[in-house]
Amino acid sequence: MSITPTDFLPFSRPSIDDDMIAEVIDTLKSGWLTTGPKVDRFERMFGDYVGSENVVAVNSGTAALHIAIQLLGLENGDEVITPSMTWPSAVNMIELTGGVPVFVDCDPGTLNISVEDVEKRITKKTRAIIPVHFAGQPVDIDALIDVVKGWGIKIIEDAAHAAGALYKGDHVGTKADFTAYSFHPNKNITTGEGGMLTIKNGDEIDLARKIKFHGVDKRGWKRFGKDLKTLEYEVVVPGYKYNMMDIQAALGIHQLGRLDEFINKRELLARYYDQALSNIPHIAPLGAVSYSHRHARHLYILKLNLEQIRITRDEFMRELKKRNIGSGLHYTAVHKHKYYSDKYGPFLDALPSTEHCSERIISVPLFPAMTTSDQDRVVSAIDSILGECSC
Ligand SMILES: *Cc1c(COP(=O)(O)O)cnc(C)c1O
């Protein structure tokens, strides 16, 4: 009989090395803590990495989405198509900028947006679509671009799971109008909290930078500069306070330097899970897309076959916890949250795959520092839970 290990295995844990710590200390000692030279450096590095010239560092992925959605200039009744199978960030920002979120179903195999369902939901009022590269696996952007052709619809990629993911050889985000990344501690790279927005149209970068920081026009700042002390800054549009600090960028610079290594390790871990879990009945990993890609392996998600077992997914998560193993739920569908179901529901049969998957998915531990014995613990815990509760 195996003994339950007493140390808790978290679902995610960031990898923080000595270079990252030293860089943060250097920032703290420099006397310059907020947006400064390290944010500039991180922006340039990130832009070079993903292949974008227009890069804005912000203090969360949600802020990046908010700025992109704000730049759409939504007017009353304008619609934005979004998956319901996602974290609520983008949907909240659509709502808060005066738009109407239109939920679209997911592909039940990959949990990525269903392009066929997008096609059905486009109307004259559709202004944008916000696909999520779910778990780090790229959505079929070419197919989406094809579907929106001629409609003047913008694409905002939610790449919170997908820093480093490649679609047909290029980094995700290369083809969209806007791409938002998150550096929350659970994501593939972290700055504590933080995010990045990349923009295809260089004409929009100035406004994005202003909206990020109080709507202040830096050119006005330079224009008046030293001569006119009272006008050192000038607000030209109402803006938010979404700037990233140098303390955060200090982490980001070194995290980004290791992103490819992190993804390679995640890939190995995912393959080990694939193999080790393949003999266990009543669970299955997500499916793979057919076009060429590099999966960023942000999450390792399993789908429970609830028809064959006597417990719910939530009970399954509690059973894992009893065995000292953390897990995550990505996600409870947004349309099931109170605010959205009250305002736009009932959805009845509108989102069948999202409904089905939302009750069956579970994310098991996956982070670069995981060991094979950590993974074996997860696998044997899953095996024992399912062994006890199969019908
Ligand atoms: C994490 C996440 C976000 C939000 O990012 P924050 O940095 O936490 O604001 C948005 N969308 C998805 C799909 C995410 O996973």
Side-chain angles (χ1 to χ4, degrees):
M1 209 184 88
S2 67
I3 298 159
T4 302
T6 50
D7 57 319
F8 187 74
L9 178 66
F11 137 77
S12 175
R13 184 192 288 146
S15 295
I16 305 294
D17 65 27
D18 289 344
D19 288 345
M20 298 165 196
I21 293 167
E23 194 77 45
V24 171
I25 290 172
D26 178 69
T27 310
L28 295 175
K29 288 182 173 170
S30 77
W32 191 269
L33 306 187
T34 187
T35 314
K38 290 196 181 168
V39 169
D40 281 350
R41 201 167 125 207
F42 184 39
E43 280 181 343
R44 275 198 309 276
M45 275 179 71
F46 195 85
D48 287 347
Y49 181 82
V50 298
S52 171
E53 284 173 14
N54 308 307
V55 182
V56 188
V58 288
N59 58 11
S60 74
T62 307
L65 287 164
H66 196 182
I67 293 170
I69 294 166
Q70 185 90 45
L71 287 172
L72 297 172
L74 297 179
E75 285 167 6
N76 225 357
D78 279 348
E79 297 173 356
V80 179
I81 295 177
T82 168
S84 173
M85 177 54 75
T86 186
W87 180 245
S89 289
V91 191
N92 284 341
M93 295 307 121
I94 296 165
E95 190 73 15
L96 288 169
T97 45
V100 177
V102 174
F103 295 114
V104 65
D105 209 4
C106 63
D107 176 287
T110 63
L111 304 184
N112 273 338
I113 196 165
S114 159
V115 178
E116 299 79 64
D117 202 36
V118 167
E119 197 161 12
K120 290 184 200 144
R121 296 184 197 255
I122 292 175
T123 73
K124 282 190 197 127
K125 289 188 162 276
T126 309
R127 299 288 313 282
I129 298 181
I130 311 187
V132 179
H133 303 291
F134 210 94
Q137 184 162 234
V139 304
D140 193 353
I141 285 294
D142 284 346
L144 261 188
I145 289 173
D146 240 28
V147 160
V148 304
K149 201 172 276 166
W151 287 91
I153 294 171
K154 296 272 170 81
I155 297 180
I156 301 172
E157 290 182 28
D158 182 340
H161 298 179
L166 303 178
Y167 173 75
K168 299 181 182 173
D170 292 320
H171 277 272
V172 297
T174 320
K175 295 179 173 174
D177 298 286
F178 303 97
T179 306
Y181 298 87
S182 166
F183 308 132
H184 177 276
N186 282 353
K187 303 293 157 73
N188 281 12
I189 56 172
T190 185
T191 56
E193 296 281 357
M196 198 72 88
L197 175 65
T198 64
I199 304 177
K200 188 157 81 186
N201 179 358
D203 294 343
E204 293 189 291
I205 188 85
D206 254 12
L207 185 54
R209 289 195 174 285
K210 284 172 199 145
I211 293 174
K212 170 188 85 164
F213 192 72
H214 306 295
V216 165
D217 186 355
K218 280 196 184 163
R219 279 170 308 180
W221 200 336
K222 279 183 195 137
R223 185 150 37 94
F224 295 107
K226 292 188 177 101
D227 316 325
L228 244 170
K229 287 215 169 55
T230 50
L231 270 178
E232 276 176 348
Y233 56 87
E234 188 171 45
V235 173
V236 294
V237 64
Y240 305 104
K241 177 75 164 52
Y242 282 167
N243 56 303
M244 176 183 279
M245 298 188 288
D246 266 19
I247 300 173
Q248 295 167 299
L251 267 177
I253 287 163
H254 294 274
Q255 286 271 314
L256 183 59
R258 294 188 61 190
L259 176 55
D260 288 323
E261 173 203 331
F262 289 160
I263 292 175
N264 291 340
K265 180 69 196 291
R266 285 172 175 276
E267 180 64 35
L268 291 175
L269 295 166
R271 287 188 189 173
Y272 188 85
Y273 270 144
D274 281 347
Q275 199 272 324
L277 293 166
S278 63
N279 296 323
I280 301 180
H282 315 319
I283 49 156
L286 295 185
V289 297
S290 56
Y291 37 87
S292 93
H293 68 286
R294 173 166 81 162
H295 196 318
R297 293 294 184 188
H298 172 52
L299 299 169
Y300 193 88
I301 295 178
L302 292 166
K303 254 193 282 180
L304 290 168
N305 185 348
L306 293 183
E307 288 66 31
Q308 301 296 323
I309 58 179
R310 287 189 307 269
I311 57 173
T312 64
R313 185 269 322 282
D314 292 356
E315 285 160 353
F316 188 88
M317 289 176 79
R318 277 196 287 277
E319 286 299 318
L320 278 175
K321 198 167 175 204
K322 274 190 211 159
R323 291 160 174 82
N324 279 321
I325 291 168
S327 59
L329 169 50
H330 304 90
Y331 297 94
T332 297
V334 180
H335 76 272
K336 296 173 89 117
H337 287 278
K338 177 174 171 35
Y339 176 84
Y340 292 103
S341 73
D342 286 357
K343 182 160 181 185
Y344 298 107
F347 289 88
L348 297 174
D349 303 326
L351 301 159
S353 298
T354 303
E355 289 271 346
H356 183 87
C357 295
S358 187
E359 293 185 350
R360 288 166 172 77
I361 45 181
I362 173 173
S363 305
V364 294
L366 185 72
F367 53 90
M370 257 185 112
T371 63
T372 304
S373 77
D374 289 336
Q375 288 196 285
D376 288 340
R377 260 176 77 183
V378 177
V379 171
S380 74
I382 291 172
D383 196 25
S384 88
I385 297 167
L386 290 174
E388 285 166 20
C389 73
S390 295
C391 297

